[in-house]
Amino acid sequence: MPSLSQQRVALTSNFLTLGFVLGVWAVSIPSIKDRMPLSYGQVGLTLLVLGLSSLSAMSVSGRLMSHFGERRILICGGAAFGLSALGPAAAGTWPELLAAAVVLGACSGTFDASQNALAVALERKIGRPVIISFHAWFSAGGLLAALLGSVVSQAGIDVRWLLVGTAAAAATLSLCLAPWLPAAPRPARTEDEPAGQPALRNRRIIVLGLVAFALFTAEGAAYDWSNLYLRNVIGAAPNVATLAFGAFSVGMIIVRVIADRVVAHVGPDKYCRAATILAAAGLGLTLLCNNAPMAILGWTLAGLGIAGTVPLTFSVAGNVDPRHSSTYVSRVAAFGYCGLLAGPSLIGFIAQVTTLRIALIVPVVCCLLVAGAAGIFKARPARPTARRPAWSGRP
């Protein structure tokens, strides 16, 4: 049995892999758009297809984890997700890119849901907030991808080689660290517990799912539109535009390193309200300015605000009822991941009929709505059958 430290290292590496692969996809979008070429609407539809594929996979992954265990699903999903990066590299036409998006979305959805379910289980073992720190490594992977993308762009290297190298490295790392991955314990079933897992019957899970959708829509805007915004609206050079997503990732990393301690001190509801207001302010600054440095600053503030709220949503959902933890996490993750990958497609459609600047008002509104609904994160009295720390925001 691996130690808690080894389990944490292995799970951290999976979060890093997810962030890096999605980050490489994000920085590759402008090159893919120009190479085919694609309109804003076609980019938006590609992202929508990817999001729907991810949503479908996450809807199924909860049942798969309940049957086979989170650990097995994470191992298989991690290897498949790494290899799925080959799809966008091999695509030469828009239909081929759509097919690649289906595979990438399905693999990323399964991988993300299973690793977050294991993160909640490991957090419960450790007995203190740690899930946000896992997501810091997800952001670190995105930052590494942004920096590497900038180097590749300056060197004039075809981005397809970056995708191929990413696929090989991600799949190999996932398989090598598999023996260290934690296993989620199975809480005993009580006599009055129904046979199924009624995840969608729980109103709090539904609200948390909607909150996750809004938060991931805002985060997805940074992934898929920050580079294009600086290039096509602000007029920044390609290598400078790439830094927008990098700045967003830096803001995410800074907060996620320390956010667990802040949440433990002030409470998850107060933290969420203040953080989402900051994110809305940063996105607003990005839309109001007309120069690259201020736009990059705005994306940085957005990253600072969004960083801790996303993993906190998973933590609260996973502890609503530990008996159904993986199912609840996968349901909320499905909503959230759909926002990450389908929300930006809505931005693309709005940009097609208006402007990209106007379309990016959507994530601002999303952050303000979450600030108004922050009470859903508030700590609630523990149920008699479960011993739960006060910091987690559990019912």
Side-chain angles (χ1 to χ4, degrees):
M1 172 68 70
S3 66
L4 285 178
S5 297
Q6 290 173 323
Q7 294 176 43
R8 192 168 180 178
V9 168
L11 199 52
T12 293
S13 299
N14 279 274
F15 276 91
L16 177 68
T17 299
L18 180 66
F20 182 76
V21 176
L22 290 180
V24 168
W25 158 252
V27 300
S28 300
I29 289 176
S31 296
I32 293 174
K33 177 182 180 296
D34 295 340
R35 174 167 54 89
M36 290 193 177
L38 303 176
S39 66
Y40 280 138
Q42 288 174 312
V43 172
L45 185 57
T46 301
L47 298 175
L48 176 60
V49 168
L50 200 154
L52 292 175
S53 176
S54 175
L55 175 61
S56 300
M58 282 191 168
S59 299
V60 175
S61 64
R63 297 177 184 177
L64 292 176
M65 285 187 282
S66 297
H67 185 72
F68 295 104
E70 294 85 348
R71 187 173 180 273
R72 291 181 181 176
I73 299 302
L74 179 58
I75 294 171
C76 297
F81 174 63
L83 294 176
S84 68
L86 293 173
T93 64
W94 186 43
E96 291 175 355
L97 182 63
L98 289 176
V102 171
V103 177
L104 180 63
C107 294
S108 62
T110 303
F111 187 42
D112 195 19
S114 56
Q115 71 176 4
N116 275 291
L118 276 184
V120 172
L122 186 57
E123 184 180 62
R124 198 179 294 123
K125 286 182 184 178
I126 295 174
R128 57 184 174 84
V130 295
I131 193 170
I132 299 178
S133 65
F134 283 125
H135 285 254
W137 289 96
F138 170 84
S139 300
L143 174 60
L144 179 60
L147 295 175
L148 189 56
S150 181
V151 171
V152 168
S153 176
Q154 285 183 306
I157 300 173
D158 193 325
V159 74
R160 286 175 287 189
W161 288 111
L162 177 59
L163 288 165
V164 170
T166 296
T172 301
L173 181 63
S174 178
L175 292 175
C176 287
L177 292 176
W180 283 10
L181 285 174
R186 296 290 175 188
R189 182 182 295 276
T190 60
E191 293 182 359
D192 61 343
E193 182 181 350
Q197 295 186 353
L200 292 180
R201 298 179 190 174
N202 189 302
R203 293 182 180 179
R204 196 178 187 202
I205 293 299
I206 295 174
V207 176
L208 284 169
L210 295 175
V211 166
F213 182 91
L215 290 171
F216 272 95
T217 294
E219 185 173 349
Y223 271 103
D224 298 319
W225 293 108
S226 59
N227 292 351
L228 288 173
Y229 179 79
L230 262 75
R231 285 179 61 178
N232 297 353
V233 178
I234 302 297
N239 61 311
V240 175
T242 304
L243 297 178
F245 176 68
F248 179 86
S249 298
V250 167
M252 298 275 277
I253 294 170
I254 291 173
V255 168
R256 286 177 170 175
V257 169
I258 63 174
D260 286 315
R261 291 188 288 270
V262 177
V263 171
H265 181 69
V266 304
D269 55 326
K270 292 180 180 178
Y271 174 86
C272 179
R273 184 173 295 109
T276 47
I277 290 175
L278 175 62
L283 291 167
L285 174 63
T286 298
L287 300 182
L288 292 174
C289 71
N290 287 302
N291 62 83
M294 293 301 293
I296 292 174
L297 174 61
W299 287 113
T300 304
L301 295 176
L304 291 171
I306 295 172
T309 55
V310 167
L312 192 59
T313 305
F314 295 145
S315 179
V316 174
N319 288 290
V320 167
D321 186 343
R323 296 171 301 177
H324 304 314
S325 180
S326 61
T327 300
Y328 284 161
V329 171
S330 67
R331 291 295 186 266
V332 172
F335 276 100
Y337 217 82
C338 187
L340 177 64
L341 300 170
S345 69
L346 174 62
I347 295 174
F349 295 137
I350 295 175
Q352 184 75 18
V353 298
T354 58
T355 66
L356 185 55
R357 191 189 296 269
I358 292 175
L360 285 174
I361 295 175
V362 170
V364 178
V365 174
C366 287
C367 289
L368 293 177
L369 289 175
V370 174
I376 194 67
F377 290 87
K378 189 173 183 179
R380 300 182 182 183
R383 295 168 60 180
T385 57
R387 185 174 59 191
R388 301 169 182 167
W391 54 262
S392 64
R394 303 165 189 171

